[in-house]
Amino acid sequence: MKRKKFSDFRSDTVTKPTEEMREAMARAVVGDDVLGDDPTVKKLERLAAKTIGKESAIFVPSGTMGNTLSLMVAGEKGTEIILEEKSHIYNYESGNLSKFVGLIPRPIPSENGEMPIEKIKENIKVSLRMHIPRTSMIALENTHNYHGGNVLSLKYIEEISKIARENNLHLHLDGARVFNAATYLDVDVKEITKHFDSVMFCLSKGLCSPIGSIVAGKRKFIEKVKFWRKSFGGGMRQVGILAAAGIISIEKMTKRLKEDHKRARMLAEGIANYNGINVNLENVKTNFVMVDLVEMDAFTFLEKLKEHGVLALPFSDKRVRFVTHNDIDDEDVFRGVEAIRKVLE
Ligand code: TLP
């Protein structure tokens, strides 16, 4: 069999739709979804809501839009949102939090994506005087992208949810990869999502859909998200073509993530003893492997790696991220292990 040009570990966003998805897309019954006429979108949204354990769900074009809309609806402009210092919402969503949403970020540093409980409590503000903005929301990220695909413990989430309820705060989950978290914990995804008022998850990452994310929550909340989705230009017409792939993402692709986790571990173990890099094996829980370079800079490392047919993504000057997914097989992992060895030689 001909070897593919590149083994692409840059992200699970690079996954191509499966053959089954392409067939379902070709056959999808569609209608104008802005007018509420698309039966395939309705089916996807019902399935998503049921799977996540929420009253209602809505299909949106991207994770960034899903998070932005959730925060627009749940947070009141000029109030504060508590979120982890390295969170995707705060760092990698084009500044939407300030550009569109108008919440004041109250970022809290953490070692692994779990903000210290005491720090959260200290930072919840009640508006005692009119010049003090109150806190209205907390957002968590699970799995946590910057922290190497780390999984937040159920005990931690439960504790945060209790704090949110006690303080009347909306709790949002950036669950772009929440099915990876559920797979790692070996629990039904609802064990995670039941603690949140709103959940965003992506169909277009490890779940292989070409486009799309879901926002789920209470019916009233989702109606408001729908309103804002239209304002943002995210009202889509015969989008059942994409929803057809999303249905397969939820029904099938959520069940195979263990394979990606196994391959991430294979890669990490294969390179862990190399000189010139550090890999913390304990932190490899899901489909990410974070590689810290001792001397070489990430740019040079990645250029050389590419010459050996392997792609990954820089996370800082000295840190590189490898992600496993449906289009990475054992051969790709062996190739990755070998290519990294040659680059470090
Ligand atoms: N993350 C992408 C890029 O931003 C780097 C990736 O390759 O990991 N939340 C989390 C936790 C994410 O990791 C991402 C995408 C998003 C939200 C945004 O999703 P999209 O790309 O669909 O807007």
Side-chain angles (χ1 to χ4, degrees):
M1 209 173 67
K2 201 169 156 266
R3 189 184 236 193
K4 50 184 135 162
K5 190 168 177 208
F6 290 112
S7 296
D8 194 347
F9 292 89
R10 285 174 301 168
S11 181
D12 42 14
T13 58
V14 304
T15 44
K16 307 276 195 320
T18 62
E19 278 310 310
E20 189 185 359
M21 282 179 176
R22 288 179 190 271
E23 274 168 35
M25 290 167 83
R27 284 195 319 268
V29 184
V30 297
D32 186 334
D33 184 52
V34 175
L35 300 178
D37 287 351
D38 194 308
T40 312
V41 173
K42 286 197 177 124
K43 186 175 169 193
L44 168 68
E45 291 177 342
R46 273 197 308 272
L47 173 68
K50 188 165 170 254
T51 308
I52 287 291
K54 299 290 173 206
E55 261 176 36
S56 190
I58 185 167
F59 186 51
V60 295
S62 69
T64 301
M65 192 190 280
N67 279 332
T68 304
L69 298 177
S70 301
L71 304 193
M72 302 231 18
V73 172
E76 188 189 318
K77 264 189 204 298
T79 61
E80 294 196 355
I81 177 168
I82 292 176
L83 73 188
E84 205 269 339
E85 193 183 30
K86 300 292 188 190
S87 61
H88 201 276
I89 290 177
Y90 184 47
N91 293 278
Y92 307 115
E93 298 195 358
S94 313
N96 284 359
L97 197 54
S98 108
K99 203 155 55 184
F100 299 119
V101 182
L103 285 168
I104 304 168
R106 182 62 57 187
I108 296 182
S110 82
E111 293 291 316
N112 57 4
E114 293 188 352
M115 300 172 274
I117 304 267
E118 280 318 307
K119 286 280 166 218
I120 293 186
K121 286 184 178 163
E122 271 170 32
N123 279 284
I124 294 176
K125 294 202 296 179
V126 196
S127 185
L128 295 175
R129 295 184 214 100
M130 60 183 143
H131 61 279
I132 302 175
R134 68 180 173 85
T135 309
S136 65
M137 288 187 77
I138 302 177
L140 300 183
E141 185 174 316
N142 196 17
T143 64
H144 200 293
N145 189 339
Y146 183 89
H147 291 291
N150 191 39
V151 179
L152 312 185
S153 77
L154 288 177
K155 193 166 166 285
Y156 175 78
I157 296 172
E158 209 175 312
E159 186 73 15
I160 302 292
S161 150
K162 197 164 147 260
I163 294 170
R165 270 183 280 113
E166 281 167 4
N167 291 279
N168 204 19
L169 307 177
H170 182 102
L171 185 59
H172 175 72
L173 175 65
D174 175 351
R177 299 182 179 85
V178 70
F179 287 97
N180 292 86
T183 300
Y184 172 77
L185 294 171
D186 199 17
V187 296
D188 186 292
V189 73
K190 289 192 271 301
E191 289 305 308
I192 300 174
T193 54
K194 70 181 182 189
H195 297 289
F196 293 87
D197 299 300
S198 54
V199 175
M200 186 289 291
F201 72 91
C202 296
L203 300 164
S204 63
K205 300 204 161 52
L207 305 184
C208 297
S209 275
I211 299 174
S213 291
I214 296 285
V215 177
K218 284 240 157 67
R219 198 167 306 282
K220 278 235 156 65
F221 176 85
I222 296 301
E223 273 167 21
K224 290 183 189 160
V225 169
K226 196 173 205 166
F227 173 84
W228 280 105
R229 183 185 68 173
K230 189 77 180 81
S231 305
F232 273 61
M236 300 173 285
R237 302 291 178 179
Q238 285 70 25
V239 70
I241 293 221
L242 297 175
I247 290 168
I248 296 171
S249 285
I250 294 178
E251 284 179 342
K252 294 225 165 132
M253 307 315 278
T254 53
K255 313 269 191 302
R256 57 153 305 283
L257 296 172
K258 249 194 192 114
E259 281 180 44
D260 299 341
H261 298 184
K262 198 184 84 200
R263 292 201 175 99
R265 182 139 286 276
M266 266 168 70
L267 176 71
E269 285 174 357
I271 62 174
N273 292 328
Y274 288 173
N275 290 326
I277 54 169
N278 288 314
V279 179
N280 188 336
L281 286 178
E282 267 179 41
N283 291 348
V284 182
K285 293 185 179 163
T286 55
N287 61 331
F288 285 20
V289 180
M290 293 304 207
V291 174
D292 292 310
L293 299 157
V294 180
E295 271 169 21
M296 204 182 289
D297 66 276
F299 182 76
T300 313
F301 177 80
L302 290 171
E303 278 294 299
K304 290 187 177 188
L305 204 62
K306 193 173 176 182
E307 288 166 19
H308 295 285
V310 173
L311 305 177
L313 214 64
F315 250 55
S316 73
D317 285 356
K318 292 277 179 198
R319 177 168 267 213
V320 171
R321 184 187 78 171
F322 290 77
V323 180
T324 53
H325 49 76
N326 191 48
D327 297 340
I328 288 287
D329 59 17
D330 289 350
E331 276 299 308
D332 293 305
V333 174
F334 300 142
R335 191 182 188 187
V337 170
E338 194 50 18
I340 296 169
R341 185 183 67 73
K342 286 185 186 145
V343 168
L344 293 171
E345 245 169 29

